[in-house]
Amino acid sequence: MAHVPVMIEEVLKFFDPKPNQNFIDCTLGDGGHAFAVLERIAPNGQLLGIDADPDAIAIVESGIRNQELGNRLILENDNFRNLAAIVREKKFGPVYGILLDLGFSTSTLERGRGFSFEKDELLDMRFDPRGGIRAAEIVNGWDQRQIAELLEEYGEEKLAREIASKIVAERKKKPIVMTKQLVETVLMAYREKLKSKQEVPWVGGIHPATKTFQALRIEVNDELGALQEVLPQAVEVLQAGGRLAVIAFHSLEDRIVKQFFRSWPDAKIKILTKKPVVASDEEIKNNPKARSAKLRVVAKV
Ligand SMILES: C[S@@+](CC[C@H](N)C(=O)[O-])C[C@H]1O[C@@H](n2cnc3c(N)ncnc32)[C@H](O)[C@@H]1O
């Protein structure tokens, strides 16, 4: 299933792309936002599309049917934390707009790398499978206290300590290498705590494994570190009057974006969204992933 771009109308409204402007999409994914921008910046505007996931880049590349579009879409398989170096190396610019649509896409869940708790796959969770630590290494290698802190901090998981304790007990019997093993371990902790006999004791409409998976994914990909690194680079790379739009999907990300924007002097950037923009009820109905999205935009002075 293709990823449905979140808040695309709102992003386009803030960017208001004009013919021949250049843009950067730091989180290309399936290219939903990128192609909408590319259409509006024809005939000569270019878009630099970055994604850490080599499959995302390969799929977008293989879908380019038309030479004209191919010439205007520049692809880079890299982490957006290297934004300034990429722009320098490609001599890309001037840059009118930069988009960060954070986290993972529907397509990421289909990669077979253990992002989804609904599938039984190896516990990997790396956006870029060519390097870095796998989720299974954390689950089987970290001590109980470290796991509990991770689940608490990055998952905001209320049962962090109980889940960490169950993980350590289960991995002694057999290493936890598959997503379903981890899901079952989390469910055991929940059933015990809630004294529930239900197969899946849903909490507030959320599957109990959601937060554990979120915490592991954030850690594996150092998502918050990458975000902190890219924001100042994005402001630097923009031309005067250019816009930076960030869509965050949980409070940890949104807090970093909000604080970063507020920490810059007014002489440097102007905040265009006093409050974060959220998706319309209509969009949320059609695309539940949009429910938690928060869009913040600044203009470079
Ligand atoms: C929400 S999706 C973007 C979807 C895209 N806007 C679309 O409409 O199809 C986020 C994408 O960012 C990528 N990503 C996440 N963190 C990254 C990072 N630090 N550097 C580069 N790409 C990253 C993921 O691999 C994923 O493809």
Side-chain angles (χ1 to χ4, degrees):
M1 195 176 33
H3 176 78
V4 181
V6 168
M7 279 199 270
I8 192 155
E9 292 309 325
E10 290 81 352
V11 168
L12 289 172
K13 192 186 110 212
F14 279 106
F15 277 162
D16 190 19
K18 297 276 193 311
N20 308 330
Q21 287 177 332
N22 302 313
F23 281 78
I24 302 178
D25 186 340
C26 289
T27 48
L28 184 69
D30 290 4
H33 293 97
F35 287 116
V37 170
L38 268 167
E39 214 174 90
R40 288 162 174 79
I41 58 178
N44 295 315
Q46 292 190 316
L47 184 138
L48 170 60
I50 301 170
D51 205 294
D53 182 347
D55 293 346
I57 296 289
I59 290 167
V60 168
E61 194 164 27
S62 68
I64 300 173
R65 297 268 170 268
N66 123 12
Q67 171 98 50
E68 184 273 329
L69 201 61
N71 291 340
R72 296 194 297 115
L73 173 59
I74 295 152
L75 298 171
E76 181 67 11
N77 179 204
D78 201 342
N79 196 300
F80 58 56
R81 71 191 333 151
N82 301 320
L83 178 65
I86 298 168
V87 168
R88 217 177 307 123
E89 193 227 319
K90 301 247 173 233
K91 298 188 173 54
F92 187 82
V95 182
Y96 182 73
I98 299 181
L99 174 65
L100 284 152
D101 175 21
L102 299 168
F104 62 98
S105 74
T106 313
S107 305
T108 312
L109 299 176
E110 315 272 309
R111 301 278 191 250
R113 283 189 229 128
F115 288 100
S116 170
F117 53 77
E118 287 171 355
K119 300 185 172 162
D120 199 16
E121 298 168 349
L122 281 171
L123 259 181
D124 185 322
M125 297 199 194
R126 291 170 300 170
F127 289 139
D128 182 349
R130 293 165 300 186
I133 183 174
R134 295 176 178 83
E137 293 173 61
I138 296 173
V139 169
N140 295 291
W142 284 21
D143 69 35
Q144 189 171 323
R145 190 183 45 83
Q146 286 177 304
I147 295 176
E149 281 171 8
L150 172 69
L151 300 184
E152 211 167 277
E153 197 180 333
Y154 289 173
E156 296 175 322
E157 170 60 71
K158 290 207 172 62
L159 264 57
R161 272 183 296 160
E162 289 84 348
I163 294 170
S165 151
K166 268 280 176 273
I167 285 175
V168 170
E170 287 304 303
R171 76 185 188 195
K172 275 190 193 138
K173 299 180 206 158
K174 189 178 168 205
I176 300 172
V177 291
M178 303 298 288
T179 47
K180 284 286 179 220
Q181 280 179 279
L182 179 61
V183 170
E184 188 47 35
T185 308
V186 174
L187 289 176
M188 284 193 288
Y190 264 86
R191 283 189 213 113
E192 223 170 88
K193 182 77 181 176
L194 302 176
K195 297 188 177 33
S196 167
K197 290 204 164 43
Q198 278 180 302
E199 167 91 9
V200 179
W202 290 75
V203 262
I206 292 176
H207 189 287
T210 309
K211 293 178 170 182
T212 296
F213 273 62
Q214 171 183 306
L216 285 166
R217 201 199 72 230
I218 292 175
E219 175 64 28
V220 164
N221 297 292
D222 187 21
E223 291 182 34
L224 304 183
L227 177 58
Q228 249 147 356
E229 283 181 38
V230 72
L231 290 172
Q233 296 179 47
V235 174
E236 284 309 321
V237 160
L238 278 178
Q239 68 180 70
R243 287 165 181 212
L244 166 62
V246 188
I247 306 175
F249 287 88
H250 51 79
S251 54
L252 299 165
E253 284 173 347
D254 186 53
R255 204 173 304 141
I256 290 173
V257 179
K258 181 172 77 179
Q259 283 171 358
F260 172 79
F261 285 173
R262 290 195 180 155
S263 71
W264 275 66
D266 291 350
K268 197 104 183 173
I269 59 173
K270 184 171 182 300
I271 296 175
L272 302 182
T273 46
K274 291 274 173 273
K275 285 214 171 107
V277 177
V278 294
S280 66
D281 293 344
E282 177 73 11
E283 177 171 1
I284 295 170
K285 203 171 80 197
N286 296 325
N287 182 16
K289 190 174 191 264
R291 192 180 41 196
S292 51
K294 289 199 168 126
L295 167 68
R296 292 184 189 268
V297 188
V298 288
K300 182 162 172 176
V301 175

